[in-house]
Amino acid sequence: MIETGRIVIAGAGLGALYAALELAPRPVLVISPETLGEGASSAWAQGGVAAAMANHDTPEAHAADTLQAGAGTVDAEVAAMVTRVARAHILDLTDLGTPFDRDPDGNYVMSREAAHSAARVVRVKGDQAGEKIMQTLISAVRAAPSVQVLENTQAVRLESEGSTVTGIWITRADAASAPVLIKCPGVLLAGGGSGGLYAHTTNPPRIRGQVIGFAARAGARIADPEFVQFHPTAIDIGEDPAPLATEALRGEGAVLINAHGERFMLAEHPDAELAPRDIVARAIFAETQSGRRPMLDTRDALGAEVLTRYPTVAETCARAGIDPVQDPIPVAVAAHYHMGGVEADLQGRSSLQNLWVCGEASSTGLHGANRLASNGLLEALVYARNAAHDIASLDPPANVDAIHPSFPPGGQDLDAAAVKNLRQAMTAHAGVRRTAHGLKQALAAIAQLEDEQAADENFTNMCATATLITAAALQREESRGGHFRDDFPTADPAQAHRTRITLDEAMAIRAKAVKELT
């Protein structure tokens, strides 16, 4: 056991790094599963940060779009707060050195993305916002004397006394080891979402719900776990994770066609390609299931400019032998963002004392049933700052020396076959379209896999989150936002509320489902 006066931040994405800087000069320990910033979803974000920066736009309009996209379950107070402070965060990131795209007059160049009523997504080099923001924050964190970073380590369990978190257990992330306990005054969870629990995902390989899972195992209340957002336009070239074709392309006029050259979104929604993500995702999924090969056509809208204005997409296409100037880009649906997570209040506090959460690991009420495009990075920024300011009210630390944990032998490597089977079960039965029977089958598969891999705590954390997603989806007998039930295909006004669930409650639902199948 190691005792420290540092606040421990589990994760190394945008929220984690921004919070570490906000907490300075208070001593902080960042637990990074890889080299700082690598393997975080934030660095892969292409679109940018949503904020009302233009003279013709307002935070109120941004909040209204957020409420509309969220399909009836967005917390209006949260939406108003987040959109009100968005501009300040863009300016602060600019001051830190983030090279946002600017026009000759110095104004921010912004993209319009799905379900936004205006162009309000602040970007970098068209589709490199996440990478460039993260590079800026990584440099600042490495230069901050109050921040210690433990690289190639991962958190696997919380230590608590009753409902108070007193520490966190960590292991080596690059080799099997027994866990080491770090006793600390507070923990901020910022370790990402759950997209990697699905066989088709845009998330980095390590983002598989582990942080949500171990918080739930400690008793933290989870909110809205059934709401998983599937990105409509992952580039379908057989890679895992699937590379992304940013929504900004559709904002520039790119259209969705099938193998017959038909623009199938025209019949699905008045906004066609710029309809909310859940609608576009289900339409693309239907084309795929019908064998009509959906594709994103940038030829008329962008022509050769796609190669220079969207270099990440151009590089991916080149790698796959696709010329987007001449040919449409094949796309498929992939798990992208988890609206659910550890329930957090306006200050980022969880239901457990001395445990805060921000970013995709959290559920704040901002996203509702369907996240508005590019609100994800914004939420991480806002709640990282809110949580940091709340944490700063703790008593001053007594011991702030750097720590150097020695990991004893033990533990085990993840069973690749078990992980593959878990991901396939989630995709088949708890994915874009769901039914009661399929969800019960998923719960049974999760239970069996968890039992077979009981000694692996990392896998147990994944199974906890998979159970929460699937059990909550089974309980919600309607379709809303990212949650679609073939057996309940319409929204039920009586269920226009957020889900709040504990792991114990989800496990009881799982046990009942397994019994019903046998």
Side-chain angles (χ1 to χ4, degrees):
M1 183 186 75
I2 299 173
E3 290 197 43
T4 181
R6 294 175 181 267
I7 297 298
V8 175
I9 300 178
L14 181 145
L17 303 186
Y18 200 61
L21 294 175
E22 288 289 322
L23 277 165
R26 185 177 185 118
V28 171
L29 176 66
V30 175
I31 305 299
S32 176
E34 300 181 47
T35 301
L36 185 63
E38 292 184 6
S41 295
S42 305
W44 292 23
Q46 291 185 13
V49 185
M53 304 297 290
N55 292 334
H56 63 270
D57 199 8
T58 66
E60 291 76 18
H62 185 181
D65 289 347
T66 299
L67 289 165
Q68 180 68 27
T73 59
V74 172
D75 186 318
E77 180 185 7
V78 170
M81 181 273 291
V82 170
T83 56
R84 185 176 61 250
V85 302
R87 180 183 179 86
H89 288 277
I90 297 298
L91 297 177
D92 288 347
L93 286 175
T94 303
D95 289 342
L96 281 171
T98 304
F100 290 116
D101 292 350
R102 312 289 277 270
D103 66 19
D105 296 324
N107 300 310
Y108 292 91
V109 176
M110 290 171 286
S111 300
R112 182 181 177 187
E113 296 186 355
H116 283 275
S117 58
R120 66 163 68 93
V121 179
V122 184
R123 65 194 197 188
V124 183
K125 293 186 177 179
D127 59 7
Q128 297 183 10
E131 177 186 354
K132 298 304 180 184
I133 293 171
M134 285 293 289
Q135 287 177 357
T136 301
L137 293 178
I138 290 167
S139 295
V141 165
R142 289 204 182 279
S146 63
V147 181
Q148 181 189 358
V149 179
L150 283 182
E151 295 178 315
N152 299 312
T153 58
Q154 62 185 357
V156 295
R157 190 191 328 154
L158 291 170
E159 182 78 3
S160 59
E161 296 177 4
S163 62
T164 300
V165 170
T166 59
I168 192 165
W169 292 83
I170 64 172
T171 67
R172 290 280 299 272
D174 55 352
S177 72
V180 172
L181 172 62
I182 300 177
K183 298 279 282 186
C184 60
V187 174
L188 171 62
L189 301 181
S194 308
L197 288 174
Y198 291 84
H200 303 290
T201 182
T202 63
N203 285 199
R206 289 190 185 276
I207 307 301
R208 292 177 176 159
Q210 298 95 319
V211 169
I212 297 170
F214 70 66
R217 289 174 59 210
R221 188 165 56 245
I222 307 302
D224 295 340
E226 69 270 38
F227 294 123
V228 178
Q229 186 172 76
F230 295 86
H231 200 288
T233 54
I235 301 177
D236 188 17
I237 53 175
E239 293 186 2
D240 180 24
L244 190 64
T246 174
E247 204 157 271
L249 292 166
R250 283 176 279 142
E252 294 282 357
V255 297
L256 289 163
I257 61 173
N258 60 26
H260 305 304
E262 300 164 340
R263 277 190 67 189
F264 54 88
M265 282 308 302
L266 292 173
E268 297 289 337
H269 193 277
D271 292 333
E273 283 79 12
L274 292 178
R277 278 184 175 174
D278 64 302
I279 294 172
V280 182
R282 284 194 295 276
I284 288 178
F285 184 74
E287 295 296 312
T288 300
Q289 294 296 98
S290 299
R292 291 190 292 267
R293 187 67 164 168
M295 295 173 283
L296 182 67
D297 191 348
T298 67
R299 293 174 295 182
D300 289 343
L302 289 163
E305 289 186 17
V306 69
L307 302 178
T308 54
R309 292 175 59 187
Y310 296 94
T312 302
V313 171
E315 180 183 340
T316 300
C317 288
R319 189 167 67 243
I322 299 167
D323 180 2
V325 179
Q326 300 294 329
D327 301 301
I329 304 166
V331 294
V333 173
H336 182 61
Y337 191 93
H338 194 183
M339 279 78 75
V342 182
E343 185 178 21
D345 67 10
L346 289 170
Q347 285 73 46
R349 299 179 194 139
S350 76
S351 61
L352 301 180
Q353 188 74 19
N354 294 344
L355 180 69
W356 290 261
V357 59
C358 70
E360 198 175 345
S362 71
S363 180
T364 67
L366 176 66
H367 304 311
N370 188 34
R371 176 180 68 101
L372 182 66
S374 291
N375 267 359
L377 294 184
L378 173 61
E379 180 195 48
L381 292 166
V382 172
Y383 276 86
R385 174 169 289 173
N386 288 1
H389 289 181
D390 197 54
I391 292 168
S393 66
L394 294 175
D395 291 336
N399 175 18
V400 295
D401 293 337
I403 68 169
H404 303 283
S406 176
F407 294 99
Q412 65 182 64
D413 293 323
L414 273 173
D415 186 309
V419 173
K420 180 180 179 180
N421 289 337
L422 176 63
R423 297 176 72 196
Q424 288 178 336
M426 292 297 288
T427 294
H429 303 302
V432 180
R433 304 180 74 104
R434 301 163 172 176
T435 65
H437 182 67
L439 291 165
K440 290 175 184 178
Q441 287 182 297
L443 287 168
I446 296 164
Q448 181 177 344
L449 288 165
E450 184 175 354
D451 184 60
E452 293 171 350
Q453 302 293 322
D456 188 338
E457 196 158 21
N458 198 11
F459 189 76
T460 298
N461 292 332
M462 296 179 197
C463 288
T465 302
T467 297
L468 285 157
I469 291 170
T470 311
L474 182 61
Q475 291 293 95
R476 185 173 284 277
E477 295 182 332
E478 64 157 355
S479 291
R480 184 179 298 276
H483 167 71
F484 189 86
R485 290 279 297 265
D486 282 326
D487 45 358
F488 296 94
T490 59
D492 176 5
Q495 298 185 57
H497 56 73
R498 299 182 67 198
T499 296
R500 290 175 172 85
I501 189 170
T502 65
L503 182 58
D504 285 346
E505 292 167 343
M507 293 293 280
I509 294 169
R510 188 175 87 176
K512 182 172 183 286
V514 171
K515 185 177 181 180
E516 289 172 351
L517 286 177
T518 56

